[in-house]
PDB file of all heavy atoms in Angstrom:
ATOM      1  N   LEU Q   1       0.811  -1.231   0.016  1.00  0.00           N
ATOM      2  CA  LEU Q   1      -0.009   0.037  -0.055  1.00  0.00           C
ATOM      3  C   LEU Q   1       0.900   1.188  -0.052  1.00  0.00           C
ATOM      4  O   LEU Q   1       2.047   1.219   0.331  1.00  0.00           O
ATOM      5  CB  LEU Q   1      -0.886  -0.076   1.233  1.00  0.00           C
ATOM      6  CG  LEU Q   1      -1.861  -1.237   1.430  1.00  0.00           C
ATOM      7  CD1 LEU Q   1      -2.522  -1.117   2.793  1.00  0.00           C
ATOM      8  CD2 LEU Q   1      -2.845  -1.293   0.238  1.00  0.00           C
ATOM      9  N   PRO Q   2       0.254   2.482  -0.363  1.00  0.00           N
ATOM     10  CA  PRO Q   2       1.098   3.661  -0.278  1.00  0.00           C
ATOM     11  C   PRO Q   2       1.471   3.861   1.211  1.00  0.00           C
ATOM     12  O   PRO Q   2       0.883   3.330   2.186  1.00  0.00           O
ATOM     13  CB  PRO Q   2       0.010   4.719  -0.572  1.00  0.00           C
ATOM     14  CG  PRO Q   2      -0.912   3.961  -1.382  1.00  0.00           C
ATOM     15  CD  PRO Q   2      -1.025   2.693  -0.850  1.00  0.00           C
ATOM     16  N   PRO Q   3       2.700   4.586   1.418  1.00  0.00           N
ATOM     17  CA  PRO Q   3       3.164   4.780   2.766  1.00  0.00           C
ATOM     18  C   PRO Q   3       2.072   5.373   3.657  1.00  0.00           C
ATOM     19  O   PRO Q   3       1.354   6.278   3.201  1.00  0.00           O
ATOM     20  CB  PRO Q   3       4.326   5.752   2.570  1.00  0.00           C
ATOM     21  CG  PRO Q   3       4.774   5.467   1.118  1.00  0.00           C
ATOM     22  CD  PRO Q   3       3.551   5.212   0.388  1.00  0.00           C
ATOM     23  N   SER Q   4       2.098   5.154   4.914  1.00  0.00           N
ATOM     24  CA  SER Q   4       1.105   5.653   5.943  1.00  0.00           C
ATOM     25  C   SER Q   4       1.726   5.723   7.211  1.00  0.00           C
ATOM     26  O   SER Q   4       2.637   4.866   7.641  1.00  0.00           O
ATOM     27  CB  SER Q   4      -0.133   4.609   5.992  1.00  0.00           C
ATOM     28  OG  SER Q   4      -0.907   4.842   7.004  1.00  0.00           O
ATOM     29  N   VAL Q   5       1.223   6.615   7.993  1.00  0.00           N
ATOM     30  CA  VAL Q   5       1.694   6.731   9.403  1.00  0.00           C
ATOM     31  C   VAL Q   5       1.299   5.599  10.295  1.00  0.00           C
ATOM     32  O   VAL Q   5       1.764   5.327  11.362  1.00  0.00           O
ATOM     33  CB  VAL Q   5       1.142   8.164   9.984  1.00  0.00           C
ATOM     34  CG1 VAL Q   5      -0.346   8.005  10.193  1.00  0.00           C
ATOM     35  CG2 VAL Q   5       1.850   8.375  11.367  1.00  0.00           C
ATOM     36  N   LEU Q   6       0.313   4.822   9.730  1.00  0.00           N
ATOM     37  CA  LEU Q   6      -0.197   3.612  10.502  1.00  0.00           C
ATOM     38  C   LEU Q   6       0.646   2.406  10.236  1.00  0.00           C
ATOM     39  O   LEU Q   6       0.399   1.426  10.919  1.00  0.00           O
ATOM     40  CB  LEU Q   6      -1.582   3.318   9.926  1.00  0.00           C
ATOM     41  CG  LEU Q   6      -2.680   4.411  10.198  1.00  0.00           C
ATOM     42  CD1 LEU Q   6      -4.003   4.028   9.570  1.00  0.00           C
ATOM     43  CD2 LEU Q   6      -2.756   4.814  11.675  1.00  0.00           C
ATOM     44  N   ASN Q   7       1.599   2.486   9.333  1.00  0.00           N
ATOM     45  CA  ASN Q   7       2.567   1.361   9.114  1.00  0.00           C
ATOM     46  C   ASN Q   7       3.972   1.860   9.364  1.00  0.00           C
ATOM     47  O   ASN Q   7       4.433   2.993   9.075  1.00  0.00           O
ATOM     48  CB  ASN Q   7       2.459   0.815   7.648  1.00  0.00           C
ATOM     49  CG  ASN Q   7       1.310  -0.025   7.432  1.00  0.00           C
ATOM     50  OD1 ASN Q   7       0.244   0.403   7.078  1.00  0.00           O
ATOM     51  ND2 ASN Q   7       1.385  -1.361   7.734  1.00  0.00           N
ATOM     52  N   GLY Q   8       4.817   0.873   9.918  1.00  0.00           N
ATOM     53  CA  GLY Q   8       6.114   1.300  10.097  1.00  0.00           C
ATOM     54  C   GLY Q   8       6.817   0.457  11.244  1.00  0.00           C
ATOM     55  O   GLY Q   8       6.151  -0.369  11.864  1.00  0.00           O
ATOM     56  N   PRO Q   9       8.105   0.708  11.522  1.00  0.00           N
ATOM     57  CA  PRO Q   9       8.866  -0.013  12.556  1.00  0.00           C
ATOM     58  C   PRO Q   9       7.997   0.135  13.918  1.00  0.00           C
ATOM     59  O   PRO Q   9       7.439   1.256  14.214  1.00  0.00           O
ATOM     60  CB  PRO Q   9      10.095   0.482  12.617  1.00  0.00           C
ATOM     61  CG  PRO Q   9      10.339   1.090  11.214  1.00  0.00           C
ATOM     62  CD  PRO Q   9       9.025   1.547  10.745  1.00  0.00           C
ATOM     63  N   LEU Q  10       7.973  -0.860  14.738  1.00  0.00           N
ATOM     64  CA  LEU Q  10       7.294  -0.746  16.043  1.00  0.00           C
ATOM     65  C   LEU Q  10       8.265  -0.528  17.143  1.00  0.00           C
ATOM     66  O   LEU Q  10       9.477  -1.109  17.183  1.00  0.00           O
ATOM     67  CB  LEU Q  10       6.523  -2.008  16.339  1.00  0.00           C
ATOM     68  CG  LEU Q  10       5.423  -2.449  15.251  1.00  0.00           C
ATOM     69  CD1 LEU Q  10       4.733  -3.638  15.659  1.00  0.00           C
ATOM     70  CD2 LEU Q  10       4.565  -1.228  14.980  1.00  0.00           C
ATOM     71  N   SER Q  11       7.908   0.196  18.104  1.00  0.00           N
ATOM     72  CA  SER Q  11       8.701   0.369  19.432  1.00  0.00           C
ATOM     73  C   SER Q  11       8.264  -0.658  20.388  1.00  0.00           C
ATOM     74  O   SER Q  11       7.370  -1.601  20.090  1.00  0.00           O
ATOM     75  CB  SER Q  11       8.455   1.809  19.934  1.00  0.00           C
ATOM     76  OG  SER Q  11       7.200   1.961  20.547  1.00  0.00           O
ATOM     77  N   ARG Q  12       8.667  -0.540  21.656  1.00  0.00           N
ATOM     78  CA  ARG Q  12       8.230  -1.509  22.716  1.00  0.00           C
ATOM     79  C   ARG Q  12       7.146  -0.911  23.479  1.00  0.00           C
ATOM     80  O   ARG Q  12       6.708  -1.557  24.464  1.00  0.00           O
ATOM     81  CB  ARG Q  12       9.480  -1.809  23.562  1.00  0.00           C
ATOM     82  CG  ARG Q  12      10.670  -2.526  22.883  1.00  0.00           C
ATOM     83  CD  ARG Q  12      11.703  -2.927  23.876  1.00  0.00           C
ATOM     84  NE  ARG Q  12      12.783  -3.720  23.198  1.00  0.00           N
ATOM     85  CZ  ARG Q  12      13.858  -4.108  23.808  1.00  0.00           C
ATOM     86  NH1 ARG Q  12      14.021  -3.968  25.123  1.00  0.00           N
ATOM     87  NH2 ARG Q  12      14.823  -4.883  23.098  1.00  0.00           N
ATOM     88  N   GLN Q  13       6.738   0.220  23.251  1.00  0.00           N
ATOM     89  CA  GLN Q  13       5.718   0.903  24.029  1.00  0.00           C
ATOM     90  C   GLN Q  13       4.326   0.784  23.461  1.00  0.00           C
ATOM     91  O   GLN Q  13       4.176   0.857  22.219  1.00  0.00           O
ATOM     92  CB  GLN Q  13       6.031   2.432  24.137  1.00  0.00           C
ATOM     93  CG  GLN Q  13       7.411   2.738  24.659  1.00  0.00           C
ATOM     94  CD  GLN Q  13       7.693   2.180  25.980  1.00  0.00           C
ATOM     95  OE1 GLN Q  13       6.907   2.274  26.906  1.00  0.00           O
ATOM     96  NE2 GLN Q  13       8.841   1.460  26.126  1.00  0.00           N
ATOM     97  N   ARG Q  14       3.345   0.509  24.382  1.00  0.00           N
ATOM     98  CA  ARG Q  14       2.023   0.302  23.871  1.00  0.00           C
ATOM     99  C   ARG Q  14       0.988   1.138  24.637  1.00  0.00           C
ATOM    100  O   ARG Q  14       1.213   1.567  25.787  1.00  0.00           O
ATOM    101  CB  ARG Q  14       1.634  -1.147  24.042  1.00  0.00           C
ATOM    102  CG  ARG Q  14       2.420  -2.227  23.306  1.00  0.00           C
ATOM    103  CD  ARG Q  14       2.189  -2.152  21.876  1.00  0.00           C
ATOM    104  NE  ARG Q  14       3.003  -3.081  21.115  1.00  0.00           N
ATOM    105  CZ  ARG Q  14       4.181  -2.873  20.576  1.00  0.00           C
ATOM    106  NH1 ARG Q  14       4.809  -1.564  20.677  1.00  0.00           N
ATOM    107  NH2 ARG Q  14       4.870  -3.657  19.896  1.00  0.00           N
ATOM    108  N   ALA Q  15      -0.064   1.685  23.851  1.00  0.00           N
ATOM    109  CA  ALA Q  15      -1.168   2.334  24.524  1.00  0.00           C
ATOM    110  C   ALA Q  15      -2.411   1.396  24.218  1.00  0.00           C
ATOM    111  O   ALA Q  15      -2.546   0.869  23.059  1.00  0.00           O
ATOM    112  CB  ALA Q  15      -1.353   3.633  23.903  1.00  0.00           C
ATOM    113  N   TRP Q  16      -3.307   1.336  25.247  1.00  0.00           N
ATOM    114  CA  TRP Q  16      -4.513   0.545  25.074  1.00  0.00           C
ATOM    115  C   TRP Q  16      -5.604   1.323  25.824  1.00  0.00           C
ATOM    116  O   TRP Q  16      -5.501   1.664  26.998  1.00  0.00           O
ATOM    117  CB  TRP Q  16      -4.176  -0.826  25.638  1.00  0.00           C
ATOM    118  CG  TRP Q  16      -5.491  -1.725  25.817  1.00  0.00           C
ATOM    119  CD1 TRP Q  16      -6.242  -2.035  24.620  1.00  0.00           C
ATOM    120  CD2 TRP Q  16      -6.063  -2.486  26.862  1.00  0.00           C
ATOM    121  NE1 TRP Q  16      -7.234  -2.898  25.119  1.00  0.00           N
ATOM    122  CE2 TRP Q  16      -7.140  -3.192  26.379  1.00  0.00           C
ATOM    123  CE3 TRP Q  16      -5.590  -2.588  28.191  1.00  0.00           C
ATOM    124  CZ2 TRP Q  16      -7.872  -3.994  27.186  1.00  0.00           C
ATOM    125  CZ3 TRP Q  16      -6.388  -3.320  29.049  1.00  0.00           C
ATOM    126  CH2 TRP Q  16      -7.561  -4.123  28.502  1.00  0.00           C
ATOM    127  N   SER Q  17      -6.729   1.402  25.140  1.00  0.00           N
ATOM    128  CA  SER Q  17      -7.901   2.077  25.620  1.00  0.00           C
ATOM    129  C   SER Q  17      -9.068   1.523  24.922  1.00  0.00           C
ATOM    130  O   SER Q  17      -9.032   0.742  23.951  1.00  0.00           O
ATOM    131  CB  SER Q  17      -7.832   3.603  25.530  1.00  0.00           C
ATOM    132  OG  SER Q  17      -8.834   4.213  26.291  1.00  0.00           O
ATOM    133  N   TRP Q  18     -10.386   1.993  25.346  1.00  0.00           N
ATOM    134  CA  TRP Q  18     -11.514   1.396  24.830  1.00  0.00           C
ATOM    135  C   TRP Q  18     -12.670   2.433  24.848  1.00  0.00           C
ATOM    136  O   TRP Q  18     -12.653   3.313  25.681  1.00  0.00           O
ATOM    137  CB  TRP Q  18     -11.893   0.094  25.514  1.00  0.00           C
ATOM    138  CG  TRP Q  18     -12.073   0.151  26.973  1.00  0.00           C
ATOM    139  CD1 TRP Q  18     -13.187   0.379  27.630  1.00  0.00           C
ATOM    140  CD2 TRP Q  18     -11.036  -0.009  28.006  1.00  0.00           C
ATOM    141  NE1 TRP Q  18     -12.988   0.439  29.041  1.00  0.00           N
ATOM    142  CE2 TRP Q  18     -11.643   0.153  29.152  1.00  0.00           C
ATOM    143  CE3 TRP Q  18      -9.704  -0.288  27.825  1.00  0.00           C
ATOM    144  CZ2 TRP Q  18     -10.949   0.107  30.412  1.00  0.00           C
ATOM    145  CZ3 TRP Q  18      -9.012  -0.340  29.034  1.00  0.00           C
ATOM    146  CH2 TRP Q  18      -9.598  -0.215  30.388  1.00  0.00           C
ATOM    147  N   THR Q  19     -13.700   2.163  24.052  1.00  0.00           N
ATOM    148  CA  THR Q  19     -14.936   2.823  24.145  1.00  0.00           C
ATOM    149  C   THR Q  19     -16.034   1.960  23.771  1.00  0.00           C
ATOM    150  O   THR Q  19     -15.760   0.766  23.412  1.00  0.00           O
ATOM    151  CB  THR Q  19     -14.851   3.978  22.990  1.00  0.00           C
ATOM    152  OG1 THR Q  19     -15.957   4.711  23.067  1.00  0.00           O
ATOM    153  CG2 THR Q  19     -14.798   3.371  21.639  1.00  0.00           C
ATOM    154  N   GLY Q  20     -17.246   2.343  23.944  1.00  0.00           N
ATOM    155  CA  GLY Q  20     -18.397   1.399  23.724  1.00  0.00           C
ATOM    156  C   GLY Q  20     -19.662   2.061  23.843  1.00  0.00           C
ATOM    157  O   GLY Q  20     -19.899   3.336  23.958  1.00  0.00           O
ATOM    158  N   CYS Q  21     -20.807   1.288  23.704  1.00  0.00           N
ATOM    159  CA  CYS Q  21     -22.146   1.780  23.790  1.00  0.00           C
ATOM    160  C   CYS Q  21     -23.043   0.556  24.009  1.00  0.00           C
ATOM    161  O   CYS Q  21     -22.649  -0.586  24.073  1.00  0.00           O
ATOM    162  CB  CYS Q  21     -22.596   2.538  22.532  1.00  0.00           C
ATOM    163  SG  CYS Q  21     -22.652   1.480  21.052  1.00  0.00           S
ATOM    164  N   ASP Q  22     -24.336   0.749  24.154  1.00  0.00           N
ATOM    165  CA  ASP Q  22     -25.363  -0.163  24.322  1.00  0.00           C
ATOM    166  C   ASP Q  22     -25.403  -0.987  23.043  1.00  0.00           C
ATOM    167  O   ASP Q  22     -25.479  -0.466  21.994  1.00  0.00           O
ATOM    168  CB  ASP Q  22     -26.641   0.326  24.701  1.00  0.00           C
ATOM    169  CG  ASP Q  22     -26.711   0.839  26.174  1.00  0.00           C
ATOM    170  OD1 ASP Q  22     -25.765   0.464  26.933  1.00  0.00           O
ATOM    171  OD2 ASP Q  22     -27.605   1.705  26.523  1.00  0.00           O
ATOM    172  N   LEU Q  23     -25.516  -2.247  23.078  1.00  0.00           N
ATOM    173  CA  LEU Q  23     -25.557  -3.186  21.927  1.00  0.00           C
ATOM    174  C   LEU Q  23     -26.917  -2.999  21.330  1.00  0.00           C
ATOM    175  O   LEU Q  23     -27.025  -3.046  20.021  1.00  0.00           O
ATOM    176  CB  LEU Q  23     -25.291  -4.513  22.318  1.00  0.00           C
ATOM    177  CG  LEU Q  23     -25.486  -5.669  21.229  1.00  0.00           C
ATOM    178  CD1 LEU Q  23     -24.416  -5.432  20.108  1.00  0.00           C
ATOM    179  CD2 LEU Q  23     -25.204  -7.112  21.880  1.00  0.00           C
ATOM    180  N   ALA Q  24     -28.045  -2.830  22.062  1.00  0.00           N
ATOM    181  CA  ALA Q  24     -29.305  -2.775  21.411  1.00  0.00           C
ATOM    182  C   ALA Q  24     -29.440  -1.665  20.374  1.00  0.00           C
ATOM    183  O   ALA Q  24     -30.011  -1.915  19.340  1.00  0.00           O
ATOM    184  CB  ALA Q  24     -30.409  -2.420  22.525  1.00  0.00           C
ATOM    185  N   GLY Q  25     -28.883  -0.473  20.604  1.00  0.00           N
ATOM    186  CA  GLY Q  25     -28.890   0.497  19.597  1.00  0.00           C
ATOM    187  C   GLY Q  25     -28.197   0.142  18.354  1.00  0.00           C
ATOM    188  O   GLY Q  25     -28.680   0.528  17.180  1.00  0.00           O
ATOM    189  N   VAL Q  26     -27.066  -0.501  18.500  1.00  0.00           N
ATOM    190  CA  VAL Q  26     -26.308  -0.900  17.262  1.00  0.00           C
ATOM    191  C   VAL Q  26     -26.990  -2.028  16.544  1.00  0.00           C
ATOM    192  O   VAL Q  26     -27.202  -1.969  15.336  1.00  0.00           O
ATOM    193  CB  VAL Q  26     -24.946  -1.392  17.688  1.00  0.00           C
ATOM    194  CG1 VAL Q  26     -24.154  -1.975  16.471  1.00  0.00           C
ATOM    195  CG2 VAL Q  26     -24.108  -0.344  18.413  1.00  0.00           C
ATOM    196  N   GLU Q  27     -27.707  -2.976  17.257  1.00  0.00           N
ATOM    197  CA  GLU Q  27     -28.494  -3.926  16.569  1.00  0.00           C
ATOM    198  C   GLU Q  27     -29.680  -3.324  15.953  1.00  0.00           C
ATOM    199  O   GLU Q  27     -30.103  -3.781  14.786  1.00  0.00           O
ATOM    200  CB  GLU Q  27     -28.836  -5.015  17.539  1.00  0.00           C
ATOM    201  CG  GLU Q  27     -27.638  -5.899  18.002  1.00  0.00           C
ATOM    202  CD  GLU Q  27     -28.157  -6.882  19.014  1.00  0.00           C
ATOM    203  OE1 GLU Q  27     -29.165  -6.671  19.721  1.00  0.00           O
ATOM    204  OE2 GLU Q  27     -27.452  -7.977  19.137  1.00  0.00           O
TER     205      GLU Q  27
END
C-alpha cells in the first residue's frame, strides 16, 4: 500500500484504551 503513518517499525511501548455503547442501539 502507499506509505502511511499507520505502518512502520514498532517500538516497545503500547497504549491501550476502549470505548463502547449499548448493543441494542447498534443492533
Side-chain angles (χ1 to χ4, degrees):
L1 303 175
S4 165
V5 68
L6 302 175
N7 281 94
L10 303 180
S11 72
R12 297 184 178 181
Q13 306 301 317
R14 300 288 181 267
W16 176 51
S17 189
W18 56 92
T19 185
C21 65
D22 288 339
L23 178 61
V26 177
E27 291 180 330

